[in-house]
Amino acid sequence: MAKTPKPDELSKINYTPPQSAWMDTPAELKEGNWCYGAKPKNLETLHFPNPREWRVQDEDWKLPENWQEIVLQGMRERLDKYRSFKVFMDICVRCGACADKCHFFIGSGDPKNMPVLRAELLRSVYRGNFTTAGKILGKIAGARPLTLSVLKEWWYYFFQCTECRRCSVFCPYGIDTAEITMMGRELLNLLGLNTDWISGPAANCYMKGNHLGLEPHTIVGNLSYMLDDIETVTGIKIEPTFNRKGAEILFVTPSGDLFADPGTYTCMGYLMLFHELGLDYTWSTYASEGGNFGFFTSNELAKRLNTKIYAEARRLGVKWILGGECGHMWRVLNQYMDTWNGPADFLEVPKSPITGTVFENTKSTKMVHVAEFTADLIKNGKLKLDPKRNDNLKVTFHDSCNTARGMGLFEEPRYIINNVCNHFYEMDELTTREKTFCCGSGSGLNAGENMEIRMRGGLPRANAVKDVAEKYGVNMLANICAIDRAVLTASMDYWVPGVKVTGVHELVANAMIMKGEKERTTDLRGDPLPGMEGNE
Amino acid sequence: MNAILSLIAVIGLVLIPLIGVKGANLHFLFGIVVPYIAIIVFLIGVISRVMKWGRVPVPFCIPTTCGQQQSLPWIKQSKLDNPSTTSGVVGRMLLEVLLFRSLFSNTKFELREGPKLSYGSTKWLWLGGLAFHWSFFIVLVRHIRLFTEPVPAFLKNVEALDGFLQVGIPGVLISGVVLLLAVTYLFLRRVFVPQVRYISLAADYFPLFLIMSIAITGILMRYFLRVDLVSIKTLTMGLVTFNTKIPEGISVIFYIHLLLVSTLIAYIPYSKIMHLGGVLLSPTRNLPNNSRMVRHVNPWNYPVEVHTYQEYEDEFRDKMKNAGLPVEKE
């Protein structure tokens, strides 16, 4: 594994494009910037083509003989199935408004990380094979043939895009590089070209229900550790249920929060909140994943993985579904699930059993975001909160790309934070809400071997945190995404040491005064509460 | 290189009528035949392009949401940037098409020692783009005068507004000057901003040179070479009434202008200039964010292979029972 350069080295960035034209500059696949190739066993589990042992750094990628034909045929099919793809291939005027909006471009200076050029990598092949001008005029018309070098370039740069959609906010035609990258990755997958960091979790999710491959008894075991910790902190014993038929609500959250901190603290937050409310809900070990690494592979695989949520809701006979804090999970739930696997006519329009609020905005999918749910509780005065318990924290909030630009969930988490914390500071408004920067590791790029590009891509977000850390002493970065919780921790340690990362429901649980709780002396992490230092 | 190739192409286009009309007396070809061909190519091209786009389904509801969603009643929704209704979408599209709203929010960044990234608003591209498109539109509207008899009254107002400076004889019309300045700005930016130069293709320079030369020939005709407007109008009226004739006294500069315009018209459907149609069909802009309220139907949605709960339980039944989890089959 490549050694990651130090921050001061990495932040020397050269934005001058090379002398040679981009088509004449083959991609150099630098270690630290790509992920290991998909292992055959994972592709076999998913019934994906061309499973074999292969290494990215090898010359020979062991492709099928007719690989060009496969890719071009795949392209033709997708041009006929997705208007977004077809239109976005045709209408770009290369105005360059998107160029400096990509976190990977800002962090690397590599011109092929400009969204427009990332798209041109695919467009050039489209022109050469599917447009008259491209076929006749070739390079003058911006066309090029599909060669092995082009294919490797695709691999390199379509796994250097986190599908965050920031460029599409600024594009005057709304051209969305996420759509282009998704198509690029679908085409690569036709040849068995995926990263193992994506195909592994996807295979796990397919067989075991979640990305981490937690088997049913392990899920129960992991949660029981958290329940012990909750009891230690609050004195309250919680007994959640699993796979319970007849529950009112099915709760689905990303499995990352069942596994490692700081996500586990968010998970403890859910457990405490639902217990306090006396919510009639159940966890599922079969639909134990809210996230969807299929979404980073192909539309079909995303649908295959997503099917479990409605299937399990139907099997258990619940009335509606509540979803935890996660980014791309919510892009999928908001924009894809109902289309793939709906209509969910076996469910009821979600109604909060605590406040009676009917979530009209979810009347078709029947799935509510936990931030919407909790904001409604607080608004209706159903929670007893003591924000002073979070007074040791100076909090800022990172909007996740997908809940920001694929949903528009901005006020709900802010409303919650403002009710459970006394010290909340916004980052530069050109880096939040719809203009938020990606954590740098979304869309399945959160591996270990590509740490250099992750830290490069994470620079814009981290730098905006650093700004509020210096101005206001911010020491906690809140967010509503499991991948954020995992990767921003690494990015903070690298760029802004001292800033910790939390989910919003961890903050809620710390502030929430529960019925029958003992006097709390520590927060969920075991750190002393403000005013309780030295009590231990 | 791409810029030079495009420039050569446009110079070639200028030379063709110069030789063809001056040298070979092909007035009929350049005055009548070429414009008709251009219009036919344009109509066929635009219709087939829009049909090609329109035929492709929109499988998913994927608006890029740029504001607060519609959720709880007490949270204020951003109805234009994150519309959930058709009227909201229409509003969003109108602002996009008429005022380039997305481009208005453009930013630039700067990296300093530290590292310290800072961002600021930048409006030059928005301003240049808006000036270019609107002035082009007004120039186009002004040309209606050549194809109508009597000239509609509103054109007088347009011209009065366009000539509000009231300088020069004939009076300077702002739109033509702005068009030339704006297109020059767009060209210079493409050449001098390193990133933009790096991504530019011949297909980006060619329309700029073409429009630049159209504006220049137009301005030359109006202010400097003083063409015979009566004869020109006889020709253009002949074109729209299919009563074609070539009057005497039209100077070659008009034929050059006409060929450049014809080339642009015919080029539109096969080039990036079609973005004007594409933006209307862009799924990230023209769909409401209501996919949790109303099911979006994908016409090619097909059944997929899934791993069922039964298969899952079959694999893990013993472990589930040991962990105290309920099972369907004992």
Side-chain angles (χ1 to χ4, degrees):
Chain A
M1 203 187 285
K3 202 169 154 356
T4 309
K6 295 269 174 290
D8 55 334
E9 226 175 297
L10 209 66
S11 55
K12 290 190 190 91
I13 303 162
N14 177 13
Y15 294 106
T16 314
Q19 286 298 311
S20 56
W22 67 265
M23 276 197 212
D24 305 327
T25 317
E28 187 194 333
L29 275 54
K30 290 190 204 119
E31 263 187 69
N33 293 270
W34 45 258
C35 297
Y36 300 138
K39 293 198 178 82
K41 70 169 166 57
N42 291 324
L43 295 187
E44 277 156 14
T45 301
L46 296 168
H47 303 147
F48 264 52
N50 203 21
R52 78 256 176 248
E53 288 290 348
W54 69 291
R55 288 172 6 121
V56 178
Q57 57 271 48
D58 290 348
E59 192 54 40
D60 180 11
W61 279 8
K62 303 182 188 168
L63 302 174
E65 209 152 286
N66 61 338
W67 68 267
Q68 275 138 320
E69 195 187 310
I70 294 172
V71 170
L72 293 176
Q73 179 55 31
M75 215 162 158
R76 184 172 296 116
E77 277 170 26
R78 283 158 186 78
L79 287 165
D80 288 338
K81 282 164 84 174
Y82 293 87
R83 187 181 295 167
S84 53
F85 187 34
K86 175 82 182 141
V87 169
F88 295 165
M89 284 294 103
D90 283 332
I91 61 169
C92 177
V93 300
R94 288 163 296 280
C95 73
C98 62
D100 60 353
K101 305 305 181 288
C102 175
H103 49 289
F104 284 119
F105 174 71
I106 295 175
S108 72
D110 184 341
K112 284 177 188 166
N113 272 325
M114 297 190 282
V116 49
L117 207 41
R118 198 187 309 282
E120 290 286 313
L121 301 179
L122 201 56
R123 253 184 224 129
S124 52
V125 173
Y126 163 75
R127 289 191 202 106
N129 290 280
F130 299 96
T131 69
T132 319
K135 281 181 199 164
I136 299 168
L137 295 172
K139 212 166 159 182
I140 299 173
R144 62 175 178 171
L146 178 59
T147 63
L148 187 60
S149 160
V150 169
L151 188 75
K152 291 190 174 187
E153 193 178 42
W154 284 7
W155 157 271
Y156 193 58
Y157 288 104
F158 290 136
F159 290 102
Q160 262 180 59
C161 165
T162 47
E163 305 179 358
C164 81
R165 312 184 97 200
R166 190 169 190 266
C167 45
S168 86
V169 169
F170 295 92
C171 175
Y173 321 120
I175 296 175
D176 181 8
T177 308
E179 289 293 302
I180 313 262
T181 294
M182 283 155 78
M183 292 301 123
R185 289 188 183 185
E186 286 216 3
L187 298 175
L188 289 164
N189 267 285
L190 297 176
L191 305 176
L193 296 173
N194 201 347
T195 76
D196 204 54
W197 192 262
I198 294 173
S199 65
N204 276 338
C205 193
Y206 190 61
M207 296 305 290
K208 297 178 180 171
N210 56 78
H211 293 148
L212 293 164
L214 306 174
E215 296 186 359
H217 56 291
T218 317
I219 293 177
V220 177
N222 283 10
L223 280 185
S224 76
Y225 287 123
M226 295 183 210
L227 297 171
D228 290 346
D229 287 350
I230 292 171
E231 195 175 352
T232 310
V233 174
T234 65
I236 292 172
K237 199 169 168 53
I238 297 176
E239 286 173 349
T241 59
F242 298 87
N243 303 350
R244 176 167 61 90
K245 286 192 177 177
E248 182 180 355
I249 299 164
L250 168 65
F251 180 64
V252 179
T253 200
S255 65
D257 287 346
L258 307 180
F259 184 68
D261 62 22
T264 46
Y265 305 123
T266 306
C267 192
M268 287 156 75
Y270 302 141
L271 288 161
M272 290 162 68
L273 175 68
F274 301 157
H275 172 83
E276 179 63 16
L277 298 172
L279 208 62
D280 177 16
Y281 84 107
T282 182
W283 295 78
S284 164
T285 61
Y286 169 67
S288 48
E289 182 59 68
N292 194 324
F293 271 45
F295 194 60
F296 309 142
T297 305
S298 70
N299 170 66
E300 183 175 306
L301 184 58
K303 181 180 170 182
R304 285 167 66 191
L305 300 184
N306 176 263
T307 303
K308 292 180 187 182
I309 297 179
Y310 277 154
E312 186 70 338
R314 191 192 284 269
R315 186 183 75 87
L316 298 176
V318 300
K319 287 186 180 155
W320 56 278
I321 312 168
L322 184 61
E325 297 180 11
C326 180
H328 74 276
M329 159 178 167
W330 275 98
R331 165 115 133 99
V332 167
L333 299 180
N334 182 37
Q335 301 194 326
Y336 291 84
M337 174 162 78
D338 202 8
T339 300
W340 281 331
N341 295 311
D345 44 14
F346 53 93
L347 297 172
E348 293 174 16
V349 177
K351 179 178 170 185
S352 170
I354 316 300
T355 65
T357 300
V358 179
F359 294 91
E360 293 287 350
N361 62 323
T362 69
K363 64 185 177 205
S364 183
T365 54
K366 323 287 202 293
M367 188 148 180
V368 175
H369 192 291
V370 71
E372 295 167 336
F373 179 74
T374 304
D376 172 63
L377 292 171
I378 297 175
K379 182 73 180 177
N380 285 288
K382 298 294 180 187
L383 297 182
K384 239 174 118 184
L385 299 167
D386 178 10
K388 282 202 293 296
R389 285 188 191 166
N390 283 320
D391 270 358
N392 52 337
L393 305 179
K394 291 196 159 59
V395 181
T396 191
F397 180 69
H398 160 71
D399 290 281
S400 303
C401 314
N402 285 290
T403 52
R405 291 180 281 261
M407 190 175 185
L409 188 87
F410 297 126
E411 297 304 336
E412 296 86 345
R414 285 175 170 80
Y415 179 78
I416 298 173
I417 293 173
N418 274 313
N419 275 282
V420 300
C421 299
N422 287 319
H423 308 294
F424 173 59
Y425 304 92
E426 289 275 10
M427 287 181 268
D428 180 352
E429 62 175 9
L430 296 178
T431 73
T432 58
R433 299 181 184 251
E434 77 278 5
K435 297 189 182 73
T436 189
F437 273 112
C438 176
C439 59
S441 311
S443 84
L445 302 192
N446 49 327
E449 63 270 20
N450 61 338
M451 197 52 91
E452 177 179 334
I453 197 68
R454 284 181 51 193
M455 292 303 109
R456 287 186 182 282
L459 173 63
R461 169 43 73 229
N463 206 258
V465 175
K466 192 175 164 199
D467 181 52
V468 284
E470 284 165 1
K471 268 191 203 145
Y472 311 113
V474 162
N475 57 11
M476 190 56 91
L477 175 56
N479 60 72
I480 44 170
C481 168
I483 289 181
D484 279 334
R485 288 189 275 279
V487 307
L488 284 173
T489 304
S491 148
M492 289 303 113
D493 287 348
Y494 184 85
W495 291 113
V496 205
V499 174
K500 302 274 180 254
V501 179
T502 182
V504 168
H505 278 78
E506 180 185 345
L507 300 172
V508 172
N510 275 329
M512 183 175 62
I513 301 167
M514 299 172 74
K515 289 183 278 288
E517 70 177 22
K518 66 173 192 185
E519 193 192 14
R520 292 199 210 176
T521 54
T522 72
D523 61 18
L524 294 180
R525 300 186 181 198
D527 294 331
L529 288 176
M532 293 291 181
E533 298 87 352
N535 271 22
E536 288 293 297
Chain B
M1 187 60 203
N2 284 333
I4 293 166
L5 275 175
S6 304
L7 185 60
I8 292 171
V10 173
I11 292 173
L13 286 173
V14 172
L15 291 177
I16 291 171
L18 200 61
I19 297 162
V21 173
K22 265 244 146 98
N25 255 326
L26 296 169
H27 293 82
F28 193 78
L29 176 67
F30 288 102
I32 311 287
V33 179
V34 167
Y36 275 137
I37 292 177
I39 293 288
I40 292 167
V41 170
F42 171 82
L43 289 176
I44 293 174
V46 167
I47 291 168
S48 84
R49 180 63 81 95
V50 171
M51 275 173 54
K52 264 184 202 160
W53 285 338
R55 222 178 31 222
V56 184
V58 181
F60 303 106
C61 181
I62 53 162
T64 305
T65 57
C66 298
Q68 172 62 37
Q69 65 167 351
Q70 178 190 347
S71 67
L72 296 160
W74 48 273
I75 293 178
K76 191 169 179 288
Q77 181 198 357
S78 198
K79 290 193 173 160
L80 284 171
D81 292 316
N82 192 346
S84 54
T85 60
T86 309
S87 57
V89 169
V90 170
R92 188 185 199 191
M93 293 297 290
L94 281 176
L95 286 172
E96 199 63 87
V97 172
L98 300 179
L99 296 174
F100 304 176
R101 187 174 163 89
S102 295
L103 214 48
F104 185 75
S105 65
N106 199 9
T107 60
K108 60 176 189 298
F109 82 99
E110 201 185 336
L111 174 68
R112 276 169 294 191
E113 282 293 303
K116 167 84 187 145
L117 281 165
S118 51
Y119 309 88
S121 167
T122 174
K123 302 264 187 274
W124 289 110
L125 178 58
W126 171 78
L127 197 65
L130 206 63
F132 169 73
H133 284 85
W134 274 106
S135 60
F136 205 156
F137 177 70
I138 291 167
V139 168
L140 216 62
V141 168
R142 277 203 283 105
H143 279 69
I144 293 174
R145 152 182 293 280
L146 293 172
F147 303 97
T148 46
E149 190 59 53
V151 174
F154 79 93
L155 271 185
K156 297 252 165 29
N157 301 331
V158 171
E159 280 165 19
L161 215 60
D162 204 3
F164 81 100
L165 282 184
Q166 302 198 337
V167 292
I169 298 170
V172 170
L173 298 177
I174 299 290
S175 55
V177 179
V178 172
L179 175 61
L180 186 57
L181 289 176
V183 76
T184 307
Y185 162 75
L186 292 177
F187 168 69
L188 292 177
R189 156 178 195 282
R190 209 168 263 294
V191 174
F192 287 108
V193 180
Q195 270 77 30
V196 183
R197 185 173 60 231
Y198 200 64
I199 57 176
S200 293
L201 302 173
D204 299 314
Y205 292 107
F206 178 69
L208 287 177
F209 285 131
L210 194 58
I211 292 165
M212 215 182 281
S213 59
I214 288 170
I216 292 170
T217 48
I219 287 171
L220 280 176
M221 276 192 285
R222 181 173 169 87
Y223 305 105
F224 302 100
L225 300 176
R226 310 305 280 280
V227 290
D228 180 351
L229 276 176
V230 177
S231 310
I232 289 176
K233 180 137 186 190
T234 310
L235 188 149
T236 51
M237 283 307 295
L239 283 174
V240 283
T241 55
F242 299 103
N243 180 20
T244 56
K245 50 178 159 288
I246 298 288
E248 288 297 310
I250 299 180
S251 62
V252 69
I253 183 81
F254 171 77
Y255 289 99
I256 295 175
H257 187 71
L258 190 59
L259 181 74
L260 294 167
V261 170
S262 301
T263 308
L264 181 67
I265 290 173
Y267 179 68
I268 288 172
Y270 308 96
S271 69
K272 69 170 192 176
I273 306 176
M274 271 308 283
H275 65 263
L276 63 97
V279 63
L280 299 173
L281 292 177
S282 179
T284 63
R285 289 289 185 275
N286 72 5
L287 288 166
N289 177 31
N290 65 353
S291 40
R292 278 199 290 163
M293 283 176 263
V294 183
R295 181 167 181 254
H296 180 94
V297 177
N298 171 5
W300 50 262
N301 195 22
Y302 55 92
V304 293
E305 185 193 0
V306 294
H307 191 68
T308 62
Y309 174 80
Q310 282 66 35
E311 290 168 297
Y312 170 85
E313 188 184 297
D314 285 346
E315 184 176 350
F316 294 113
R317 185 167 294 110
D318 291 340
K319 288 173 175 171
M320 289 171 81
K321 279 156 76 176
N322 286 339
L325 294 171
V327 288
E328 299 261 338
K329 276 188 240 162
E330 282 302 322

